[in-house]
Amino acid sequence: MKLSKRQDTYRHQGLRNQLIKVIRMKGISDAPVLAAMEKVPRHFFFDSSFLEYAYEDQPFPIGAGQTISQPYTVAFQSSLLRINKGDKVLEIGTGSGYQACILAELGAKVFSIERQKSLYDKTRILLSEMGYQRIKLFYGDGYKGLPSYAPFDKVLVTAAAPYIPEPLIRQLKPGGILVVPVGDETQVMTTIHKISETETRREEHGNFRFVPMLEDKAKDH
Ligand code: SAH
């Protein structure tokens, strides 16, 4: 990666402060989440020709037909997760790795699954260059979760799920929280609180738009 891309200048930090103000004005008040987003250089996740888009509150293409989520959405999902330091968190849809870094900055032990091999490979290199070796990345199908690393304190789905995958609820600890956008054209941001092995509570938090959660690993590699 070019050094020019890796620099986090005062200008970038200034743009990031502005972005945090915008997100706060849109209703996010979770101080640790805002602090994490103020810290992680979002432009590192962009190809160098698109750096000027990195600090707009917009989703953006990252290759393989996928997008880095809108900052507001990252903040919203991160707040719903109520991360405590040391939480084991499973993310479905690594994509650029930006959301995984925000969770790591919140003190989570992050496990993240991606079904597109090209994104998995690219993000693995980026996160290791950025010093996030503690984030564990997996190439696989998020519908299945990660049974061998379960149970998790929190599970976050960052793609549009047509339904809530049962294994993800099963792999939550009692007291754990699943955050998942559910739906086809638009999605309802949904939280499942696992009260006990047999009892869950479902809440809905408004409409969002995500790229679809697809079955199985991508076949084009
Ligand atoms: N969290 C990402 C957002 C990526 S968009 C970020 O911060 O950049 C959603 C991602 O979910 C895409 O990269 C897509 O390839 C991936 N995805 C879709 N279905 C999946 C599945 N079944 N398992 C794992 N990843 C999946």
Side-chain angles (χ1 to χ4, degrees):
M1 193 181 302
K2 289 197 209 85
L3 189 65
S4 59
K5 185 180 171 187
R6 300 297 305 277
Q7 282 173 341
D8 191 27
T9 64
Y10 284 121
R11 183 171 156 263
H12 293 119
Q13 289 163 31
L15 290 170
R16 208 145 65 236
N17 290 339
Q18 282 304 117
L19 174 63
I20 301 310
K21 277 190 193 138
V22 169
I23 293 172
R24 198 184 278 125
M25 266 169 17
K26 290 183 180 177
I28 305 288
S29 58
D30 187 318
V33 167
L34 293 171
M37 292 185 66
E38 199 151 350
K39 198 164 168 200
V40 178
R42 192 168 182 262
H43 63 285
F44 283 13
F45 301 82
F46 281 59
D47 288 330
S48 49
S49 40
F50 299 117
L51 291 184
E52 66 265 39
Y53 295 102
Y55 294 109
E56 294 186 6
D57 190 24
Q58 295 292 337
F60 200 81
I62 51 171
Q66 305 307 324
T67 56
I68 180 171
S69 300
Q70 181 178 349
Y72 172 77
T73 305
V74 171
F76 194 85
Q77 290 198 298
S78 302
S79 307
L80 288 176
L81 283 169
R82 300 185 200 160
I83 302 287
N84 298 308
K85 283 205 168 61
D87 272 0
K88 256 175 85 179
V89 181
L90 173 63
E91 180 194 25
I92 311 301
T94 313
S96 68
Y98 176 70
Q99 171 76 74
C101 292
I102 298 298
L103 297 174
E105 289 295 345
L106 287 166
K109 293 189 203 117
V110 184
F111 300 73
S112 184
I113 313 179
E114 173 57 54
R115 69 181 284 283
Q116 295 271 3
K117 184 72 163 58
S118 57
L119 281 177
Y120 164 78
D121 287 337
K122 187 174 167 188
T123 298
R124 200 160 39 111
I125 294 167
L126 176 68
L127 295 198
S128 127
E129 285 181 353
M130 287 177 71
Y132 287 103
Q133 290 91 344
R134 286 174 306 127
I135 299 176
K136 295 197 167 52
L137 300 181
F138 299 82
Y139 168 52
D141 179 7
Y143 276 96
K144 302 187 178 78
L146 276 181
S148 47
Y149 292 86
F152 298 95
D153 296 287
K154 313 281 162 64
V155 177
L156 170 63
V157 181
T158 69
Y163 59 90
I164 299 179
E166 183 55 38
L168 301 186
I169 297 177
R170 208 178 315 129
Q171 291 170 30
L172 263 186
K173 287 181 195 172
I177 304 174
L178 165 66
V179 174
V180 52
V182 185
D184 298 321
E185 283 297 298
T186 60
Q187 295 83 44
V188 177
M189 190 64 77
T190 306
T191 52
I192 303 287
H193 293 253
K194 185 161 173 175
I195 316 248
S196 68
E197 285 301 341
T198 52
E199 203 185 341
T200 57
R201 188 180 77 242
R202 181 180 179 135
E203 286 171 6
E204 296 184 345
H205 307 271
N207 291 329
F208 287 79
R209 260 171 187 262
F210 287 78
V211 294
M213 184 174 178
L214 302 170
E215 300 270 356
D216 221 336
K217 291 178 189 169
K219 293 283 182 281
D220 49 351
H221 294 283

Short mmCIF file of all heavy atoms in Angstrom, two decimals, residues 66-69 91-99 113-116 119 140-143 158-159 211-214, ligand 1:
data_model
loop_
_atom_site.label_atom_id
_atom_site.label_comp_id
_atom_site.label_asym_id
_atom_site.label_seq_id
_atom_site.Cartn_x
_atom_site.Cartn_y
_atom_site.Cartn_z
N GLN A 66 -19.63 -4.86 -3.18
CA GLN A 66 -19.98 -4.63 -1.77
C GLN A 66 -19.72 -3.18 -1.38
O GLN A 66 -19.11 -2.44 -2.14
CB GLN A 66 -19.18 -5.58 -0.88
CG GLN A 66 -19.34 -7.04 -1.25
CD GLN A 66 -20.79 -7.47 -1.32
OE1 GLN A 66 -21.63 -7.01 -0.55
NE2 GLN A 66 -21.12 -8.33 -2.27
N THR A 67 -20.19 -2.80 -0.19
CA THR A 67 -19.99 -1.42 0.25
C THR A 67 -19.49 -1.38 1.69
O THR A 67 -19.74 -2.29 2.47
CB THR A 67 -21.31 -0.61 0.21
OG1 THR A 67 -22.28 -1.29 1.01
CG2 THR A 67 -21.83 -0.44 -1.20
N ILE A 68 -18.75 -0.32 2.00
CA ILE A 68 -18.46 0.00 3.40
C ILE A 68 -19.70 0.72 3.92
O ILE A 68 -20.24 1.60 3.24
CB ILE A 68 -17.18 0.87 3.53
CG1 ILE A 68 -16.86 1.21 4.99
CG2 ILE A 68 -17.23 2.13 2.69
CD1 ILE A 68 -15.47 1.88 5.18
N SER A 69 -20.21 0.31 5.08
CA SER A 69 -21.48 0.87 5.57
C SER A 69 -21.34 2.37 5.84
O SER A 69 -20.25 2.88 6.10
CB SER A 69 -21.89 0.19 6.88
OG SER A 69 -22.07 -1.19 6.70
N GLU A 91 -18.87 -10.83 14.04
CA GLU A 91 -19.42 -9.98 12.98
C GLU A 91 -19.61 -10.81 11.71
O GLU A 91 -18.71 -11.55 11.32
CB GLU A 91 -18.47 -8.82 12.66
CG GLU A 91 -19.02 -7.92 11.56
CD GLU A 91 -18.01 -6.94 10.95
OE1 GLU A 91 -16.79 -7.21 11.00
OE2 GLU A 91 -18.45 -5.92 10.42
N ILE A 92 -20.79 -10.69 11.09
CA ILE A 92 -21.03 -11.34 9.80
C ILE A 92 -20.92 -10.27 8.72
O ILE A 92 -21.70 -9.30 8.72
CB ILE A 92 -22.44 -11.99 9.74
CG1 ILE A 92 -22.72 -12.84 10.98
CG2 ILE A 92 -22.60 -12.77 8.44
CD1 ILE A 92 -21.76 -13.96 11.22
N GLY A 93 -19.98 -10.42 7.80
CA GLY A 93 -19.78 -9.44 6.72
C GLY A 93 -18.63 -8.51 7.03
O GLY A 93 -18.82 -7.32 7.31
N THR A 94 -17.40 -9.03 6.97
CA THR A 94 -16.21 -8.22 7.29
C THR A 94 -16.08 -7.03 6.35
O THR A 94 -15.73 -5.92 6.79
CB THR A 94 -14.91 -9.07 7.12
OG1 THR A 94 -15.09 -10.32 7.77
CG2 THR A 94 -13.70 -8.34 7.65
N GLY A 95 -16.33 -7.27 5.05
CA GLY A 95 -16.21 -6.21 4.05
C GLY A 95 -14.86 -5.53 4.13
O GLY A 95 -13.81 -6.18 4.09
N SER A 96 -14.86 -4.21 4.31
CA SER A 96 -13.62 -3.43 4.36
C SER A 96 -12.85 -3.66 5.66
O SER A 96 -11.67 -3.35 5.75
CB SER A 96 -13.95 -1.94 4.25
OG SER A 96 -14.65 -1.52 5.42
N GLY A 97 -13.55 -4.11 6.71
CA GLY A 97 -12.93 -4.26 8.02
C GLY A 97 -13.12 -3.06 8.93
O GLY A 97 -12.73 -3.07 10.10
N TYR A 98 -13.77 -2.00 8.42
CA TYR A 98 -13.92 -0.78 9.22
C TYR A 98 -14.74 -1.02 10.49
O TYR A 98 -14.32 -0.68 11.60
CB TYR A 98 -14.57 0.32 8.37
CG TYR A 98 -14.85 1.58 9.13
CD1 TYR A 98 -13.81 2.40 9.55
CD2 TYR A 98 -16.16 1.96 9.46
CE1 TYR A 98 -14.06 3.57 10.27
CE2 TYR A 98 -16.41 3.12 10.17
CZ TYR A 98 -15.36 3.93 10.58
OH TYR A 98 -15.61 5.06 11.30
N GLN A 99 -15.90 -1.66 10.33
CA GLN A 99 -16.74 -1.94 11.51
C GLN A 99 -16.00 -2.82 12.52
O GLN A 99 -16.10 -2.60 13.73
CB GLN A 99 -18.03 -2.63 11.05
CG GLN A 99 -18.90 -3.17 12.16
CD GLN A 99 -19.67 -2.09 12.91
OE1 GLN A 99 -20.64 -1.54 12.39
NE2 GLN A 99 -19.26 -1.80 14.14
N ILE A 113 -16.55 -12.78 9.83
CA ILE A 113 -16.64 -13.71 8.69
C ILE A 113 -16.98 -12.96 7.41
O ILE A 113 -17.86 -12.09 7.41
CB ILE A 113 -17.75 -14.77 8.90
CG1 ILE A 113 -17.69 -15.38 10.29
CG2 ILE A 113 -17.68 -15.86 7.83
CD1 ILE A 113 -18.78 -16.41 10.55
N GLU A 114 -16.30 -13.31 6.31
CA GLU A 114 -16.60 -12.74 4.99
C GLU A 114 -16.70 -13.88 3.98
O GLU A 114 -15.89 -14.80 3.98
CB GLU A 114 -15.48 -11.76 4.60
CG GLU A 114 -15.57 -11.21 3.19
CD GLU A 114 -16.89 -10.52 2.89
OE1 GLU A 114 -17.28 -9.60 3.63
OE2 GLU A 114 -17.55 -10.91 1.89
N ARG A 115 -17.69 -13.79 3.06
CA ARG A 115 -17.88 -14.87 2.08
C ARG A 115 -17.19 -14.59 0.74
O ARG A 115 -17.15 -15.46 -0.11
CB ARG A 115 -19.38 -15.12 1.84
CG ARG A 115 -20.09 -14.01 1.12
CD ARG A 115 -21.56 -14.30 0.93
NE ARG A 115 -21.84 -15.26 -0.12
CZ ARG A 115 -21.80 -14.99 -1.42
NH1 ARG A 115 -21.46 -13.81 -1.85
NH2 ARG A 115 -22.10 -15.93 -2.29
N GLN A 116 -16.69 -13.34 0.54
CA GLN A 116 -15.99 -13.00 -0.71
C GLN A 116 -14.50 -13.14 -0.46
O GLN A 116 -13.92 -12.36 0.31
CB GLN A 116 -16.27 -11.55 -1.11
CG GLN A 116 -17.70 -11.26 -1.46
CD GLN A 116 -17.98 -11.50 -2.93
OE1 GLN A 116 -17.10 -11.95 -3.67
NE2 GLN A 116 -19.19 -11.23 -3.35
N LEU A 119 -12.26 -9.93 -0.88
CA LEU A 119 -12.36 -8.96 0.22
C LEU A 119 -11.66 -9.49 1.47
O LEU A 119 -10.96 -8.75 2.17
CB LEU A 119 -13.82 -8.68 0.55
CG LEU A 119 -14.57 -7.72 -0.37
CD1 LEU A 119 -16.02 -7.61 0.06
CD2 LEU A 119 -13.91 -6.36 -0.36
N GLY A 140 -15.77 -17.60 5.09
CA GLY A 140 -16.79 -18.63 5.26
C GLY A 140 -18.18 -18.07 5.10
O GLY A 140 -18.36 -16.94 4.64
N ASP A 141 -19.16 -18.85 5.51
CA ASP A 141 -20.57 -18.47 5.37
C ASP A 141 -21.15 -18.06 6.72
O ASP A 141 -21.30 -18.89 7.62
CB ASP A 141 -21.36 -19.66 4.80
CG ASP A 141 -22.83 -19.33 4.66
OD1 ASP A 141 -23.22 -18.15 4.88
OD2 ASP A 141 -23.61 -20.24 4.34
N GLY A 142 -21.46 -16.78 6.82
CA GLY A 142 -21.97 -16.22 8.07
C GLY A 142 -23.29 -16.83 8.53
O GLY A 142 -23.62 -16.72 9.72
N TYR A 143 -24.07 -17.42 7.64
CA TYR A 143 -25.33 -18.04 8.06
C TYR A 143 -25.07 -19.14 9.09
O TYR A 143 -25.94 -19.45 9.90
CB TYR A 143 -26.07 -18.65 6.87
CG TYR A 143 -26.93 -17.66 6.11
CD1 TYR A 143 -26.44 -17.02 4.98
CD2 TYR A 143 -28.22 -17.36 6.54
CE1 TYR A 143 -27.23 -16.11 4.28
CE2 TYR A 143 -29.01 -16.45 5.86
CZ TYR A 143 -28.51 -15.83 4.73
OH TYR A 143 -29.29 -14.93 4.05
N THR A 158 -23.87 -7.38 9.31
CA THR A 158 -23.76 -6.11 8.57
C THR A 158 -24.20 -6.25 7.11
O THR A 158 -23.83 -5.45 6.28
CB THR A 158 -22.32 -5.54 8.64
OG1 THR A 158 -21.44 -6.39 7.88
CG2 THR A 158 -21.82 -5.44 10.06
N ALA A 159 -25.00 -7.29 6.84
CA ALA A 159 -25.63 -7.45 5.52
C ALA A 159 -27.11 -7.71 5.77
O ALA A 159 -27.50 -8.12 6.86
CB ALA A 159 -24.99 -8.62 4.77
N VAL A 211 -26.45 -4.19 1.70
CA VAL A 211 -26.28 -5.17 0.62
C VAL A 211 -26.74 -6.52 1.17
O VAL A 211 -26.71 -6.75 2.38
CB VAL A 211 -24.81 -5.26 0.12
CG1 VAL A 211 -24.39 -3.96 -0.53
CG2 VAL A 211 -23.86 -5.63 1.25
N PRO A 212 -27.22 -7.43 0.27
CA PRO A 212 -27.83 -8.67 0.78
C PRO A 212 -26.84 -9.64 1.43
O PRO A 212 -25.68 -9.73 1.03
CB PRO A 212 -28.43 -9.31 -0.48
CG PRO A 212 -27.75 -8.68 -1.62
CD PRO A 212 -27.28 -7.33 -1.19
N MET A 213 -27.34 -10.34 2.45
CA MET A 213 -26.62 -11.47 3.02
C MET A 213 -26.91 -12.67 2.13
O MET A 213 -28.07 -13.05 1.94
CB MET A 213 -27.11 -11.72 4.44
CG MET A 213 -26.36 -12.81 5.16
SD MET A 213 -26.90 -12.89 6.87
CE MET A 213 -25.91 -14.25 7.46
N LEU A 214 -25.85 -13.26 1.55
CA LEU A 214 -26.01 -14.34 0.57
C LEU A 214 -25.57 -15.66 1.19
O LEU A 214 -24.68 -15.68 2.04
CB LEU A 214 -25.19 -14.03 -0.68
CG LEU A 214 -25.56 -12.69 -1.36
CD1 LEU A 214 -24.55 -12.34 -2.45
CD2 LEU A 214 -26.98 -12.74 -1.93
N1 SAH B 1 -18.95 -4.48 7.95
C1 SAH B 1 -18.54 -4.08 6.62
C2 SAH B 1 -19.75 -3.87 5.72
C3 SAH B 1 -19.64 -4.75 4.54
S1 SAH B 1 -21.08 -4.89 3.51
C4 SAH B 1 -17.63 -2.87 6.65
O1 SAH B 1 -17.43 -2.29 7.71
O2 SAH B 1 -17.06 -2.53 5.59
C5 SAH B 1 -21.58 -6.54 3.92
C6 SAH B 1 -20.59 -7.64 3.67
O3 SAH B 1 -21.25 -8.88 4.00
C7 SAH B 1 -20.11 -7.80 2.23
O4 SAH B 1 -18.72 -7.73 2.20
C8 SAH B 1 -20.61 -9.19 1.83
O5 SAH B 1 -19.74 -9.88 0.95
C9 SAH B 1 -20.73 -9.88 3.17
N2 SAH B 1 -21.63 -11.03 3.21
C10 SAH B 1 -22.82 -11.20 2.60
N3 SAH B 1 -23.36 -12.41 2.91
C11 SAH B 1 -22.48 -13.02 3.75
C12 SAH B 1 -22.45 -14.29 4.40
N4 SAH B 1 -23.42 -15.19 4.26
N5 SAH B 1 -21.38 -14.58 5.19
C13 SAH B 1 -20.36 -13.70 5.34
N6 SAH B 1 -20.33 -12.48 4.75
C14 SAH B 1 -21.37 -12.14 3.95
#
